[in-house]
Every structure is written in C-alpha cells, then in structure tokens.
C-alpha cells in the first residue's frame, strides 16, 4: 500500500506586512536612540570627571612634594613671543604646569625626555626649539589620553582654520602643525591684564593658577623653572576655589605651552568689568562668564595678555565644554569635582575662580 504525503501550502509575507515591520523597527530605533545617546554622554561625563580627578590628584601630589603648586607658566614670557611666532633663543615661551606634573600622571618617560636635554626647564633654555622625543618626534606632538575629554568634538591636535590666528607655537620652520592639545586648563582668575587696564590690578592673575609665577621679579634673570602658589594662598577656602577647568578651545591649547593651558573667567572683549563691592560681586553689564565663546561675540577672541610683557595669542573659548547642555566640569583645590552650568550667576562663578577676594557667594 502506498502512502502519499501532501505538503502544506506556505504563504510568504506581503509587501504591506514587510513595510509595517520595517516601520515598527524604525519607530523602536527612534525611541531608543535618545536613550542610547544620553547613556553615552553620561558615560563620557563620568570619564571626563575621572580625568579631572586624576589631574587634581597629580596637582596635590606635586604640592605635597614641592609645598607649592606648579605655575601656570614656569617662566614669564618675553614680549616678542606670540602664539603665532616661533620661540627662539631670545624669546623663549614657557612650559606649562602640565609639563611639571607629568611624573604624577604616570608619564615619567615623557617628562624625562622633555626635561633632560640641555636642562630645558632651566634658565636660558628654549622650551620648544627641537624639543624631541626618541630623537625624531616632537614631544609636543605626543597625545596624552588623560588630557582629552571624551565629549570633545575636536581632533585632539591644534586646529588651524584658514584665515584664523589659531597657530601653533611650533609652526614654522620646521613645520609642526599637529601639536597635541589639552581640554583641561588651569584657572588663572578673573581678568587678563589688558581687560583690567592695569598691570597691577587686583582683578588680574587672581586665580589658583596665576599666569605670573609667584616668585617673578625679572623675566630676563629669574631662576627657572618658576613655581606657583601654595594652598595657604587660597584664602577663600580650597573647597571654594576652582583649580582646573574644562575648555573646548581647539587652537590656543597645546598642552606643552604655558600661556595656552590657562583660562580666565572674563574675556577682553566682554561688555563691562565686574566689581567686588564689600565682598559682593556686582556684575551688571558683564557679557561673559562660564561657557563664553565665539557664539556670543561673532568669533571674538580672548587675548591672554601679560601687560608690558606682551600678548600670548588668542583663544576662541574660555571655560567651556562639548558636554550636553554646555555643562563644564571643574576641579577644585581640595580635589573634588563639580559640574557647573552656563546659567550660573556670574557673581557666583567669579567668586569660585578667584582665590582671595573674600566674596560671600558660594558654590
């Protein structure tokens, strides 16, 4: 007896059904994408805060060893040195505070290569001329992961747009355009000298990382390297003074260069000067504070001015970041980190970036 098996008839998906499935998948992806992006940004902020913490720890370890912080600039730059000209034997620039804390960042080999040749940190050294690593690669071109914020939208090297004055100290002969940058800078205080209108104004260099070294007397004869202030100088309280701040600056930001690794709270071209009136900041008319940048002033630049010693370049951005909402992570002198928002009251912010003005405003 024979048995015949009849196969069942199977119908495929119709075009309409396929389109419906695709539409559902697309909707689900659209719903999930913001959550994924939010989670990624939260992770980036966490990583950024950790990097800031490590830098603050390096600064504290340096202080424990030296009893002072590194200076924003380890020598006072000479007038002829500008950000778009080459350092030379008669116009040395200045090594940054980052150079001096490299051993506390587990970058001892880089520090040794940077400092050992002809005692580059000493008097008469030309900081950036032929500063080499392994004999061929410029130390300044060495990218350090701990100096780059994960949310930063730039390239991690000096970006020189056509027609801009974003130029590297090391550009020229020989050309070295790909200079590694930092997103974490020392807080130099409220105002640069030119904005305050006086070389001796109390509003200039009044941050934890003053540009002018504490021992400065004569830029041509001072011993080098110079160091900065100690925590005893932070009379407003170490938990209330910003030591390091993020910056999304992509041009004036080589990690090796002192004037490029500090930020100020108010730009030279802001509308008015803040005034400290009996411990209360009066900020009427001030156009810039946290997250100041070109978007508010049509590509305005922040001039890092040293009074009679010259101007060291221009930055597009001061304290700022590419985090969602413009949040800026700050490291304080006591080692803790705090995220500040761009809508912070300027008076409160100015109290956090000055070290001994006696303001009553708190964090």
């Amino acid at each position: 007896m024979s048995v015949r098996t009849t196969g069942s008839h199977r119908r495929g998906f119709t075009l309409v059904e396929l389109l419906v499935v695709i539409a559902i998948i697309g909707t689900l992806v659209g719903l999930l994408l913001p959550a994924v992006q939010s989670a990624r940004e939260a992770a980036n902020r966490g990583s950024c805060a950790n990097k800031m913490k490590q830098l603050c720890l390096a600064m504290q370890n340096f202080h424990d060893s030296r009893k002072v912080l590194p200076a924003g600039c380890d020598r006072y730059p000479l007038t002829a040195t500008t950000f778009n000209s080459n350092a030379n034997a008669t116009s040395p620039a200045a090594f940054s505070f980052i150079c001096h804390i490299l051993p506390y960042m587990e970058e001892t080999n880089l520090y040794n290569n940077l400092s050992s040749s002809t005692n580059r940190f000493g008097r008469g050294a030309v900081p950036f001329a032929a500063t080499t690593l392994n004999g061929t690669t410029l130390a300044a071109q060495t990218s350090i992961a701990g100096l780059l914020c994960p949310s930063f939208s730039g390239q991690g090297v000096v970006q020189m747009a056509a027609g801009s004055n974003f130029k590297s100290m090391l550009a020229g002969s020989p050309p070295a355009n790909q200079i590694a940058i930092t997103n974490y800078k020392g807080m130099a205080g409220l105002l640069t000298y030119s904005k305050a209108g006086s070389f001796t104004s109390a509003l200039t260099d009044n941050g934890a990382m003053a540009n002018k070294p504490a021992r400065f007397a004569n830029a041509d004869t001072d011993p080098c390297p110079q160091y900065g202030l100690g925590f005893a100088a932070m009379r407003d309280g170490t938990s209330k003074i910003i030591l390091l701040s993020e910056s999304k600056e992509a041009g004036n930001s080589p990690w090796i260069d002192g004037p490029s690794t500090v930020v100020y709270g108010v730009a030279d071209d802001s509308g008015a000067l803040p005034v400290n009136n009996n411990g209360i900041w009066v900020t009427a008319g001030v156009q810039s504070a946290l997250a100041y940048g070109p978007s508010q002033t049509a590509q305005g630049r922040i001039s890092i001015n040293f009074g009679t010693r010259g101007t060291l370049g221009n930055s597009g951005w001061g304290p700022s970041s590419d985090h969602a909402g413009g949040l800026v992570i700050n490291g304080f002198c006591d080692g803790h980190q705090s995220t500040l928002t761009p809508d912070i009251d300027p008076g409160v912010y100015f109290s956090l970036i000055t070290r001994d003005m006696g303001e009553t405003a708190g964090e």
Side-chain angles (χ1 to χ4, degrees):
M1 181 177 69
S2 64
V3 178
R4 183 174 62 182
T5 302
T6 304
S8 61
H9 176 69
R10 296 181 179 178
R11 181 176 64 87
F13 289 110
T14 66
L15 178 60
V16 173
E17 289 172 331
L18 287 173
L19 292 176
V20 169
V21 171
I22 292 173
I24 292 173
I25 294 174
T27 301
L28 292 174
V29 171
L31 292 173
L32 290 174
L33 188 58
V36 172
Q37 291 175 332
S38 178
R40 181 182 294 115
E41 172 54 23
N44 286 343
R45 285 199 308 273
S47 175
C48 180
N50 183 61
K51 292 182 179 184
M52 181 68 78
K53 181 177 182 63
Q54 296 306 313
L55 287 172
C56 286
L57 287 174
M59 296 287 277
Q60 290 188 327
N61 288 334
F62 184 98
H63 186 278
D64 289 344
S65 174
R66 307 276 184 149
K67 309 308 178 186
V68 291
L69 293 167
C73 300
D74 74 351
R75 67 205 68 202
Y76 209 43
L78 299 185
T79 304
T81 306
T82 60
F83 190 56
N84 56 6
S85 67
N86 297 322
N88 55 56
T90 59
S91 299
F95 281 113
S96 71
F97 73 93
I98 293 173
C99 295
H100 292 280
I101 64 171
L102 286 173
Y104 304 96
M105 297 168 56
E106 298 185 357
E107 294 288 349
T108 303
N109 288 337
L110 179 57
Y111 175 85
N112 289 339
N113 279 282
L114 187 65
S115 64
S116 60
S117 180
T118 66
N119 187 24
R120 296 188 189 280
F121 289 156
R123 161 59 54 197
V126 182
F128 308 135
T131 301
T132 59
L133 179 65
N134 296 330
T136 55
T137 306
L138 286 165
Q141 293 179 296
T142 303
S143 181
I144 302 175
L147 298 179
L148 295 175
C149 171
S151 294
F152 179 54
S153 60
Q155 301 174 13
V157 296
V158 172
Q159 297 171 37
M160 298 181 288
S164 78
N165 54 8
F166 287 172
K167 298 180 179 179
S168 166
M169 273 282 194
L170 301 179
S173 179
N177 297 333
Q178 299 300 305
I179 306 304
I181 70 170
T182 178
N183 293 136
Y184 306 104
K185 299 193 176 188
M187 177 52 68
L190 187 58
L191 301 170
T192 68
Y193 292 107
S194 61
K195 179 58 181 175
S198 170
F199 183 75
T200 58
S201 171
L203 299 181
T204 61
D205 250 9
N206 53 9
M209 294 293 294
N211 241 327
K212 184 171 68 174
R215 295 186 301 165
F216 169 73
N218 187 308
D220 301 315
T221 60
D222 284 343
C224 289
Q226 292 256 317
Y227 296 114
L229 301 164
F231 285 138
M234 312 303 161
R235 290 190 286 273
D236 286 346
T238 55
S239 66
K240 296 293 184 182
I241 302 173
I242 293 174
L243 177 64
L244 303 174
S245 175
E246 280 190 272
S247 175
K248 61 189 292 183
E249 171 62 32
N252 192 13
S253 53
W255 65 256
I256 195 174
D257 177 37
S260 300
T261 57
V262 293
V263 287
Y264 288 89
V266 174
D268 284 351
D269 53 1
S270 65
L273 294 177
V275 177
N276 187 313
N277 186 4
N278 295 322
I280 303 296
W281 283 108
V282 180
T283 58
V286 174
Q287 298 177 4
S288 63
L290 191 65
Y292 171 86
S295 61
Q296 286 127 319
T297 59
Q299 300 301 312
R301 297 286 186 259
I302 301 171
S303 176
I304 308 300
N305 192 283
F306 286 84
T308 59
R309 282 290 171 179
T311 299
L312 272 293
N314 294 290
S315 298
W317 290 94
S320 54
S321 82
D322 280 324
H323 293 302
L327 303 177
V328 178
I329 296 175
N330 298 266
F332 286 71
C333 289
D334 68 345
H336 87 275
Q337 292 75 52
S338 181
T339 301
L340 303 180
T341 59
D343 60 357
I344 186 174
D345 178 80
V348 173
Y349 183 65
F350 295 158
S351 75
L352 297 176
I353 62 177
T354 54
R355 66 180 181 265
D356 58 1
M357 299 297 287
E359 308 94 338
T360 59
E363 184 178 350

